[in-house]
Amino acid sequence: DSRDYDSETKSVCPFCGVGCQVSVKVKDGRVKHVEGVNGPANEGRLCVKGRFGFDYIHHPHRLTVPLIRREDAPEKGLNVDPSNPWTHFREATWEEALDRAAHGLADLRSFYGGTSVAGFGSAKCTNEEAYLFQKFIRQGFGHNNVDHCTRLCHASSVAALMENVGSGAVTASFNEIENADLAIVIGANPTENHPVAATFFKQFTKRGGQLVVMDPRGQALKRHAAFMLQFRPGTDVALLNAIMNVIVEEKLYDRQYIEGFTEGFFEFREHIRAFTPERMNELCGISAETIRAVARAYAGASRAMIFWGMGVSQHVHGTDNARCLISLALLCGHVGRPGTGLHPLRGQNNVQGASDAGLIPHVMPDYQSVTDPEVRALFRHIWRGTEISENPGLTVVEIMDRVYRGEIKGMYILGENPAMSDPDVEHARKALAQLDHLVVQDIFLTETANFADVILPASAFPEKRGTVTNTNRQVQMARKALDAPGQAREDWEILVQMARRVGLDWDYDDPREVFDEMKMSMRSLHHITWKRLATESAVAYPCSGPDDPGRSVVFADGFPRRAGRARFAPARVTPPAEMPDDRFPMVLTTGRQLEHWHTGSMTRRASVLDAMEPEANCSLHPSTLRSLGVEPGGLVRLTTRRGSLVVMARADRAVAPDMVFLPFAYVEAAANILTNPALDPFGKIPEFKYSAVRVEKA
Ligand code: SF4
C-alpha cells in the first residue's frame, strides 16, 4: 500500500546491464521495498539482486565523512578494518579533504608532468559522471590515461564490433529474441548474470524458439536448449570456424546479403576451408556431427540472434572470438532485421553509458578517435580551448604496470576496485601501495581504498540523479530516492570541486548541464533530451525524432563503415597464454554468481544476498573431488603461477573434471590472486577465463 511509504521513486537497478526499472519505496529515510516497474527491458520483472539487494546503502560500513590517511598510519596494505579505520585514517572536513586530494594530484602534475597521474572512472556511475571523469583527466592532465571496467569486461567485443561493424553497441536489443527463430548464447550464463534477460530467453523456447548454448561450463539454460555444446575452454575460434566451414562448404550462406552488405567474403571463404569439423573436433571436443547440425540450424533459421558474455571476451583471443561471431552473423544475413542481431550482454549497469561517454583511453565520447584532428578540434571548441592529446592512452592493466614501475605516481579512482578486480591482483596491490598519492571516491572503504591517501565519501545509486544506458542502448533516468548518509555527496558534485582545485573552470550546477554539454559532441544522443528522459520511460539510440522511442534493431540499410559494408575478419586458432602442464594440470576459470556482484563491495553488504551466499567457494566436478579425497564442503588449495589460496569446494557436474570455477566476489579467497594478466592484443583485456592451476586437498 503506497500509504506505507513516505515516497516512491522510479529509478534503475544498480547492478547488471539489463537496466531493469524499479520503484524504490522509502520510509523514515530508509529503503523499505523495491519492486519492478514496466520498463522496456524488464516489463516489471526483477531478479533477486534488484528485489532484495538494496540494503547495502544502509550498511554501517558506509563512508559518511571524508577521510585522510594519518601521519602515523601503518604501512599501506590490505590491512584496514572498514568498521574501525581510525588507526589508518582520520576524519577531515570536505574543504581539507578536497584540497588535499586535488592539490596532491596537481603537485605531481607540476613536478613530474601530467602523465604522472592516471584515472579509473566507474561503470557504476551515471553517464554525466563518467563524462566528467574522463574530462577531468583529459583536460586537467593533458593525456588520455583514463579507463574503467569495460577493459575487464567487453573491451575485446567492442574492438571487434568497431573494426568490422563500425559501432561498438549491440545491433539489436535482447528483447528482439521474441521475434527470433533461433538464438545462440555463447560464453554467457544469463540465468546468473543477466537473470531478467534470461527470463525472456526461456519464454522464447516455450514458444518454440531453438536455443543453442555453447559454453565450457554447464548452466541452467541447458535445460531449455535444443543444443548444448560444452566445448573445451579456450577453443572458441576452433568451434566457431568449424561451424562457419560447414556453412561455406554446404553453401548455406546468404549470397544476396553478402553481396549487398559486406566486404572480404572471398578471402574469408578461402581462410575458413581449413577448419573442417573433423579437424576442429580434435581441439574443441564437439563432434563433427553436432557442429554440422548447429551450422545448418543457424543458417536455416529465418531470424537468428547471437548473445555472448565474458566467456567470449576474457581471453587473449577475445577479439578473435568476437570476430568469429560477427562473421557468422554476416554469412547468414542475421543482422539488421527484427529477431536478428549481435548482442554482447553488458555487465555493469552503466558500462554501455560510461563507454559511450568516453571513459576509454583511445576514444572521446561516442567512440570518436583521439587520433582524428577533427575530433580534437571539436572538443577544443566545446572544452574552451583544451588541447586533447593525440596519443591513445593506457588501459587498466597497462596503467597498473606503470604504477608498479614508478612511472605513474598519482591516481584518482572513482567507484572501481582494482585491488580486487585486476588480474594477478597481488601485483596491483603492490602497485597501489607504491603510489605517492591515491584519491579514492567510493561509498565503502573498499579493498582499493585501503591504499588511499584521501577517501571522498560518495553516493549510492538511489541517492543521486543522472542518466544511464543499458545493454539495449536504452537511455534511462536514474532518480534520487533518498539523501546520502552523513556528509556523503553526489559524485558529479565532488568531481566539480576536484576540477576547480586542479585549475579547471568548471561551472556546472546540475547534472542536466553536463548532459546538455554531452549532446554537443555525441550524435548518439540526438533527439534524446533530459526532459524526455524525465517524462518518458526510456529512449534508445539511435533516435530519429522527438517522438521516436529509438531503434531496437539497427543496420537494416548498411553499416557505419566505408560504403556501408560490414567486414569479414578471418580468425586463426591461437592457444591460451598458458597451458596446463605437470605442475598446473587443470584449468581455472572465474566468474560471477547470481547473488553477488563483481568484487562484492555492495552485495556482500546486502543482508539477503549475503545470507544466501555467505562463503567463498569454488566448483569442482564430483569425480575430481573424489580423486582429491575431498568431501563437498571441504577445503581445497588452488595454486597458479601467480599465487595460492584456500577455498571451500562444491560438487558441481556443470564443471568438466579438469576444470575449476571460482567466483571473484570474495576478498577472503580473491580469485584474481590466481588469474593471468596476459592481454588480448587488440582489446587489451586480461585472460580471466583461462589459467593453468593445481588443485590439492587443503
Ligand atoms: Fe538488476 Fe540485472 Fe537483476 Fe535486472 S536482471 S534486477 S538489472 S541485477
Side-chain angles (χ1 to χ4, degrees):
D1 189 322
S2 63
R3 288 166 302 185
D4 294 340
Y5 308 108
D6 298 331
S7 63
E8 296 180 30
T9 306
K10 195 165 134 183
S11 192
V12 181
C13 173
F15 295 109
C16 89
V18 171
C20 296
Q21 289 192 4
V22 294
S23 173
V24 182
K25 299 167 192 294
V26 173
K27 176 82 174 165
D28 299 329
R30 293 180 71 86
V31 174
K32 284 290 176 201
H33 184 66
V34 174
E35 64 186 23
V37 298
N38 194 20
N42 63 318
E43 298 179 6
R45 305 169 200 186
L46 291 181
C47 79
V48 67
K49 288 190 285 288
R51 177 69 184 79
F52 297 112
F54 272 77
D55 63 346
Y56 71 91
I57 69 171
H58 302 304
H59 194 278
H61 287 174
R62 275 299 296 273
L63 293 166
T64 57
V65 288
L67 300 176
I68 290 180
R69 181 168 287 276
R70 296 170 64 104
E71 299 289 331
D72 58 349
E75 220 169 278
K76 285 183 181 178
L78 199 60
N79 52 8
V80 185
D81 174 358
S83 56
N84 180 22
W86 311 118
T87 48
H88 294 69
F89 296 96
R90 63 173 174 83
E91 285 188 15
T93 63
W94 267 108
E95 282 301 301
E96 185 192 9
L98 287 165
D99 284 348
R100 181 75 74 95
H103 295 163
L105 299 177
D107 288 349
L108 290 171
R109 179 182 62 188
S110 306
F111 200 76
Y112 297 106
T115 52
S116 63
V117 172
F120 290 164
S122 177
K124 296 193 208 79
C125 287
T126 64
N127 291 332
E128 294 72 33
E129 290 161 347
Y131 177 87
L132 287 182
F133 193 87
Q134 57 87 32
K135 182 175 177 181
F136 177 89
I137 295 293
R138 289 185 157 121
Q139 190 178 39
F141 295 86
H143 58 73
N144 296 304
N145 296 339
V146 59
D147 205 354
H148 77 297
C149 70
T150 190
R151 191 64 44 206
L152 310 177
C153 162
H154 266 306
S156 46
S157 307
V158 172
L161 286 164
M162 291 292 290
E163 171 190 78
N164 300 300
V165 175
S167 163
V170 300
T171 74
S173 73
F174 69 75
N175 311 73
E176 278 300 321
I177 197 168
E178 71 182 37
N179 297 315
D181 304 322
L182 181 144
I184 292 175
V185 174
I186 176 168
N189 186 354
T191 316
E192 303 230 359
N193 300 322
H194 302 84
V196 166
T199 65
F200 289 89
F201 296 5
K202 291 173 199 166
Q203 292 298 319
F204 153 79
T205 61
K206 221 170 152 185
R207 285 194 306 273
Q210 262 197 318
L211 183 65
V212 180
V213 178
M214 304 179 184
D215 202 300
R217 262 177 90 206
Q219 55 172 278
L221 272 187
K222 177 181 177 179
R223 289 202 299 271
H224 305 266
F227 297 94
M228 173 73 203
L229 278 58
Q230 203 162 342
F231 60 98
R232 292 196 188 109
T235 62
D236 316 58
V237 171
L239 172 62
L240 294 168
N241 274 357
I243 290 171
M244 291 191 283
N245 171 283
V246 175
I247 292 171
V248 166
E249 293 298 344
E250 297 187 7
K251 296 191 170 51
L252 304 174
Y253 47 81
D254 183 337
R255 181 182 293 275
Q256 213 177 349
Y257 185 85
I258 291 168
E259 286 173 1
F261 293 102
T262 71
E263 62 182 37
F265 172 67
F266 294 108
E267 298 85 340
F268 182 81
R269 189 175 63 182
E270 292 315 304
H271 164 83
I272 213 72
R273 290 220 150 108
F275 298 89
T276 63
E278 283 73 17
R279 285 186 64 197
M280 293 304 104
N281 156 258
E282 291 166 21
L283 292 174
C284 69
I286 302 299
S287 73
E289 189 186 12
T290 303
I291 289 171
R292 287 201 166 84
V294 168
R296 289 166 190 155
Y298 180 78
S302 311
R303 292 158 298 175
M305 296 188 73
I306 302 175
F307 299 93
W308 71 95
M310 276 156 260
V312 163
S313 62
Q314 290 176 336
H315 286 282
V316 288
H317 47 80
T319 304
D320 276 339
N321 292 348
R323 285 173 177 145
C324 288
L325 296 174
I326 294 165
S327 295
L328 177 59
L330 295 179
L331 268 181
C332 301
H334 285 325
V335 186
R337 293 175 289 119
T340 67
L342 293 157
H343 191 120
L345 288 154
R346 305 290 170 167
Q348 296 265 8
N349 84 329
N350 198 34
V351 71
Q352 181 67 57
S355 302
D356 296 346
L359 205 48
I360 303 182
H362 61 289
V363 290
M364 303 296 288
D366 252 3
Y367 307 93
Q368 300 174 87
S369 175
V370 297
T371 60
D372 184 336
E374 286 184 25
V375 170
R376 295 200 301 279
L378 171 67
F379 282 91
R380 191 184 310 125
H381 170 67
I382 297 171
W383 291 359
R384 303 177 196 166
T386 298
E387 290 296 337
I388 306 296
S389 168
E390 63 184 355
N391 301 317
L394 300 167
T395 58
V396 165
V397 177
E398 292 170 328
I399 286 173
M400 212 46 85
D401 279 342
R402 299 286 174 105
V403 173
Y404 190 79
R405 287 175 2 215
E407 294 166 28
I408 291 175
K409 298 172 184 304
M411 283 200 73
Y412 185 6
I413 299 179
L414 162 56
E416 300 259 303
N417 196 4
M420 279 289 286
S421 59
D422 262 34
D424 189 9
V425 77
E426 292 293 7
H427 172 85
R429 291 172 182 173
K430 281 183 198 146
L432 290 167
Q434 267 169 229
L435 281 165
D436 289 352
H437 188 62
L438 173 60
V439 180
V440 171
Q441 182 171 320
D442 213 308
I443 62 171
F444 293 116
L445 206 151
T446 59
E447 289 73 20
T448 300
N450 274 240
F451 299 88
D453 295 283
V454 183
I455 303 176
L456 305 173
S459 292
F461 215 70
E463 297 162 354
K464 59 186 178 183
R465 297 161 298 148
T467 65
V468 289
T469 308
N470 70 0
T471 190
N472 284 345
R473 295 180 266 102
Q474 287 154 340
V475 188
Q476 309 189 92
M477 185 62 81
R479 297 179 181 83
K480 181 171 174 169
L482 72 172
D483 289 331
Q487 299 176 32
R489 293 182 179 175
E490 295 191 30
D491 292 271
W492 72 270
E493 288 180 306
I494 303 171
L495 275 160
V496 170
Q497 292 300 325
M498 287 287 288
R500 288 180 183 158
R501 283 169 172 78
V502 299
L504 304 179
D505 62 343
W506 288 14
D507 52 6
Y508 310 102
D509 288 321
D510 191 276
R512 180 181 186 151
E513 295 170 17
V514 183
F515 183 81
D516 288 343
E517 180 178 309
M518 292 167 68
K519 284 173 62 66
M520 293 167 75
S521 63
M522 295 177 67
R523 287 174 60 83
S524 62
L525 296 179
H526 211 41
H527 297 298
I528 303 179
T529 63
W530 188 274
K531 193 171 166 200
R532 281 192 73 180
L533 295 173
T535 52
E536 296 176 30
S537 172
V539 186
Y541 69 78
C543 172
S544 61
D547 300 318
D548 177 21
R551 254 182 281 163
S552 171
V553 178
V554 292
F555 310 145
D557 306 318
F559 296 88
R561 291 187 81 252
R562 191 180 52 223
R565 289 174 179 272
R567 193 178 80 126
F568 284 97
R572 301 197 171 281
V573 174
T574 48
E578 66 178 16
M579 294 298 288
D581 56 18
D582 289 346
R583 283 179 64 214
F584 305 104
M586 292 176 63
V587 176
L588 168 76
T589 189
T590 66
R592 289 165 290 178
Q593 293 173 293
L594 170 65
E595 298 81 3
H596 286 303
W597 190 242
H598 288 243
T599 65
S601 59
M602 291 149 68
T603 51
R604 295 203 74 195
R605 293 178 171 100
S607 56
V608 173
L609 300 178
D610 198 48
M612 290 171 76
E613 198 58 272
E615 192 177 351
N617 57 84
C618 71
S619 299
L620 286 158
H621 193 273
S623 65
T624 312
L625 282 176
R626 270 197 304 278
S627 66
L628 292 168
V630 176
E631 291 290 321
L635 295 176
V636 291
R637 175 172 290 282
L638 310 182
T639 307
T640 68
R641 290 183 175 83
R642 272 72 53 191
S644 187
L645 56 83
V646 173
V647 65
M648 181 260 283
R650 282 185 178 149
D652 185 350
R653 290 184 189 282
V655 180
D658 59 352
M659 276 181 76
V660 52
F661 171 75
L662 181 63
F664 62 88
Y666 301 91
V667 64
E668 62 272 35
N672 285 318
I673 288 172
L674 306 176
T675 50
N676 190 349
L679 300 182
D680 170 277
F682 306 98
K684 305 281 179 76
I685 193 168
E687 190 153 62
F688 289 120
K689 288 290 185 276
Y690 198 109
S691 301
V693 65
R694 182 169 65 246
V695 184
E696 300 158 296
K697 183 175 182 175

